[in-house]
Amino acid sequence: MKLVKSLIVLLVFIAACTSEQREGGDAATSSSKEKEIREYNLEVEKERTKNRFPCDTIALREYIMDNYPPGTYILQNEPSTIYGLPKPAIIYFNDGGNFILTLIVRSKESERFVERKNVQGYESSFINLDSTKLGTAFFYLTLFECADNNFEKIWEAEVPIHGGFSKMSIKTWKPKNIKYVELFYEDGIISGHRKYNFFLIDGWRKPPHLLETYVGIVHKRTLANINNDKYPDYYEYRFIEDSLRIRVRDSIPFYWNEKKQLYVTKVNPRWFRKY
């Protein structure tokens, strides 16, 4: 009888804890507490920032907090030096408009909110094997335009990875003089890194074209100009490895097929890649 009473008490306690977590919980599970913390941090930042300008970083963070689901953040670039401070992954530039380029992470619904430390850097790259315990992150490269002190979203492009972000930069593909955004991700799984390159084929106001490159111990894909059209291409390498050495077996040229919307190769018609 005592055992039955103890089990009943235990079940009531578990039910009470579950109910409390759903209604309240901590900042990792409660949208109200998560927003409360972010609002507090924003107010502190506003008090400390003396020089403000239209659509600045504080305003963008506030806009995302008010217009995106809970658990949505702006990522930070990893510091370039040991003692450096992380800076938000935001680039302001003027190229036919007052643009703001940023990398946003969203948390998957029904899971805990993702934390920056769990999706950034080398250690976090292993989250791509199983991210559910720490929350699943979805990355979106997003372009805003600032007009009359308001944000207008021009486009957003999903990045097909869940962790390991390091830094964001704008570069130029010299063969066609086309701008592209390089997102650099650490990847401990391949013992190297991945780059998600978003090419502005038709300018900044049109959604970008994604091409992935990477380098690892036995993984390599490099940017190339295969068929001389406006789309970038790449070489995908195959390796031979044994107990003594690792060497390149061959390189396979992949080029963009605009009709199929896929990367294909003449080496084998059954081989194709999405990006």
Side-chain angles (χ1 to χ4, degrees):
M1 190 69 179
K2 290 183 178 180
L3 178 60
V4 173
K5 287 183 179 179
S6 298
L7 288 173
I8 292 173
V9 171
L10 179 61
L11 290 172
V12 171
F13 176 76
I14 292 172
C17 289
T18 303
S19 175
E20 183 181 353
Q21 185 178 27
R22 287 175 181 172
E23 293 177 4
D26 56 18
T29 57
S30 170
S31 58
S32 60
K33 288 190 176 182
E34 185 259 0
K35 186 174 182 180
E36 183 180 338
I37 292 173
R38 292 172 69 185
E39 286 177 339
Y40 173 80
N41 291 336
L42 271 175
E43 289 304 317
V44 171
E45 194 170 356
K46 287 179 182 178
E47 292 178 3
R48 293 179 177 178
T49 304
K50 296 180 180 180
N51 299 319
R52 298 286 308 275
F53 58 89
C55 301
D56 63 3
T57 300
I58 295 176
L60 182 57
R61 284 176 175 158
E62 197 165 27
Y63 174 86
I64 289 173
M65 184 174 63
D66 294 338
N67 293 277
Y68 283 74
T72 304
Y73 308 93
I74 295 174
L75 268 293
Q76 293 179 328
N77 291 311
E78 284 195 300
S80 56
T81 62
I82 297 176
Y83 302 104
L85 296 175
K87 295 181 179 180
I90 302 175
I91 299 176
Y92 289 86
F93 64 99
N94 193 310
D95 190 357
N98 294 318
F99 294 126
I100 305 106
L101 185 71
T102 186
L103 185 60
I104 297 173
V105 61
R106 296 184 190 176
S107 304
K108 184 179 180 180
E109 293 184 13
S110 75
E111 294 183 3
R112 63 170 289 166
F113 300 140
V114 297
E115 300 177 54
R116 290 190 182 96
K117 66 179 181 180
N118 293 329
V119 297
Q120 293 191 251
Y122 177 83
E123 294 296 332
S124 74
S125 67
F126 294 97
I127 204 171
N128 294 305
L129 295 173
D130 180 16
S131 61
T132 55
K133 293 181 180 179
L134 300 174
T136 303
F138 296 100
F139 295 91
Y140 293 90
L141 179 65
T142 309
L143 182 69
F144 293 98
E145 184 174 14
C146 181
D148 299 324
N149 205 18
N150 293 314
F151 293 99
E152 179 184 349
K153 185 165 67 176
I154 307 300
W155 49 258
E156 69 175 12
E158 186 173 358
V159 189
I161 196 168
H162 297 304
F165 175 69
S166 179
K167 58 185 177 180
M168 176 178 73
S169 57
I170 298 176
K171 296 187 175 183
T172 301
W173 186 42
K174 293 182 179 180
K176 298 297 178 180
N177 196 32
I178 295 175
K179 297 286 186 182
Y180 68 98
V181 182
E182 180 189 277
L183 301 180
F184 187 98
Y185 282 76
E186 303 286 355
D187 193 335
I189 299 172
I190 67 169
S191 299
H193 65 260
R194 296 181 181 273
K195 294 178 182 179
Y196 291 93
N197 310 288
F198 291 84
F199 286 81
L200 288 308
I201 302 296
D202 298 308
W204 286 104
R205 296 188 180 277
K206 298 292 183 180
H209 170 81
L210 173 61
L211 179 152
E212 180 189 13
T213 54
Y214 47 77
V215 174
I217 293 179
V218 290
H219 299 80
K220 187 176 182 181
R221 185 191 284 181
T222 58
L223 191 61
N225 180 21
I226 304 298
N227 59 349
N228 203 32
D229 63 359
K230 66 178 181 179
Y231 291 95
D233 311 304
Y234 55 79
Y235 284 103
E236 193 170 281
Y237 292 80
R238 293 195 292 179
F239 291 81
I240 297 175
E241 55 179 321
D242 53 38
S243 60
L244 297 176
R245 59 180 177 171
I246 299 172
R247 60 189 185 277
V248 174
R249 177 182 175 183
D250 59 8
S251 59
I252 303 170
F254 281 84
Y255 62 92
W256 182 250
N257 186 308
E258 195 167 0
K259 184 178 180 180
K260 295 181 178 180
Q261 292 292 291
L262 293 169
Y263 275 101
V264 299
T265 179
K266 294 180 181 179
V267 175
N268 191 324
R270 292 178 297 177
W271 292 351
F272 62 88
R273 310 285 186 264
K274 290 183 178 180
Y275 45 82

